[in-house]
Amino acid sequence: MLRALRDPRAVHNSRLKARQALLRESIQVLRSRHRAEPRGPGPRHQQPQQLLLPPGLLGGGRAPQPQHRAEFFLGGALEVICQAWLRDLLLARRAPAWLRRRYTQLRYEDLVREPRAQLRRLLRFAGLPVPPALETFVLNMTRGAAYSSDRPFLISARDAREAIHAWRERLSRQQVRQVEDACGEAMSLLAY
């Protein structure tokens, strides 16, 4: 099993840029958390999570204003995603050795920094050869001449090295802090 991961701050930045396109997906992610929560009486073992909210989103516990609704759902969805990552990471660490040998993870940032080495590692894990054409393709997709930060989900040849740090210029300090608070455990396990 391969688990691909990315810095949650970069994920949040990309999701904010594509907020309208991801609104329906974010609502579905939040609904999945609601369905997974225990029902009925009984103690809850976890504190309720705070949704990632842009500054000034809610006023006095009111529902989000229409212009901020997408950010509200995007932030909540990112928390659910980080919780799922954390569960998977902890499960993989606690798994028996025979199962750990069948699991690997790939950080997007590692693929961008070392595309050939990471491609070889993944194909070796899968027991597959490394075709030269695939190496060329991976280099082209991560080291292309262009970069389009305005279209984060565009599949094209571009310089992805710029994408791994774009969140530093786009997110406010408060947004970064909120992501780090919501995703801190998973980020720590992933060395972000």
Side-chain angles (χ1 to χ4, degrees):
M1 177 181 161
L2 167 66
R3 179 65 148 153
L5 303 145
R6 187 173 181 202
D7 185 327
R9 296 164 293 202
V11 171
H12 193 57
N13 182 51
S14 293
R15 291 176 67 82
L16 284 172
K17 285 188 279 184
R19 71 178 58 106
Q20 288 308 114
L22 293 174
L23 182 58
R24 181 172 290 158
E25 182 266 352
S26 295
I27 292 169
Q28 290 173 338
V29 169
L30 284 170
R31 285 183 180 152
S32 74
R33 173 172 66 178
H34 178 70
R35 284 191 299 267
E37 289 177 351
R39 303 212 188 280
R44 291 211 170 192
H45 298 288
Q46 294 180 329
Q47 294 278 345
Q49 295 288 320
Q50 295 294 319
L51 294 176
L52 293 169
L53 304 174
L57 176 66
L58 296 178
R62 289 180 278 156
Q65 299 298 318
Q67 69 268 25
H68 296 298
R69 193 170 60 148
E71 287 91 342
F72 177 81
F73 290 120
L74 287 173
L78 182 64
E79 286 188 13
V80 174
I81 291 166
C82 285
Q83 290 167 4
W85 287 358
L86 181 60
R87 279 192 309 272
D88 288 354
L89 292 166
L90 292 174
L91 177 66
R93 285 183 176 210
R94 295 178 187 140
W98 65 268
L99 185 56
R100 282 195 311 269
R101 286 191 299 272
R102 291 174 172 80
Y103 174 87
T104 192
Q105 60 190 40
L106 172 67
R107 295 183 337 158
Y108 174 74
E109 295 79 8
D110 296 335
L111 178 64
V112 168
R113 287 185 189 110
E114 304 174 306
R116 282 188 177 126
Q118 293 301 319
L119 174 65
R120 287 183 188 128
R121 182 179 70 83
L122 290 176
L123 292 175
R124 190 172 45 250
F125 172 77
L128 299 171
V130 183
L134 187 55
E135 273 192 344
T136 302
F137 174 78
V138 168
L139 274 177
N140 184 45
M141 294 304 283
T142 58
R143 300 285 162 81
Y147 174 66
S148 174
S149 65
D150 295 329
R151 300 185 66 191
F153 297 103
L154 177 68
I155 307 296
S156 65
R158 61 181 173 169
D159 191 345
R161 292 172 292 189
E162 292 182 40
I164 62 177
H165 298 294
W167 64 267
R168 295 173 191 259
E169 297 174 12
R170 299 266 174 122
L171 296 181
S172 70
R173 285 185 183 190
Q174 182 178 2
Q175 288 171 315
V176 170
R177 232 182 343 259
Q178 287 176 323
V179 172
E180 290 172 348
D181 287 346
C183 302
E185 285 183 80
M187 290 174 71
S188 178
L189 289 174
L190 293 166
Y192 283 123

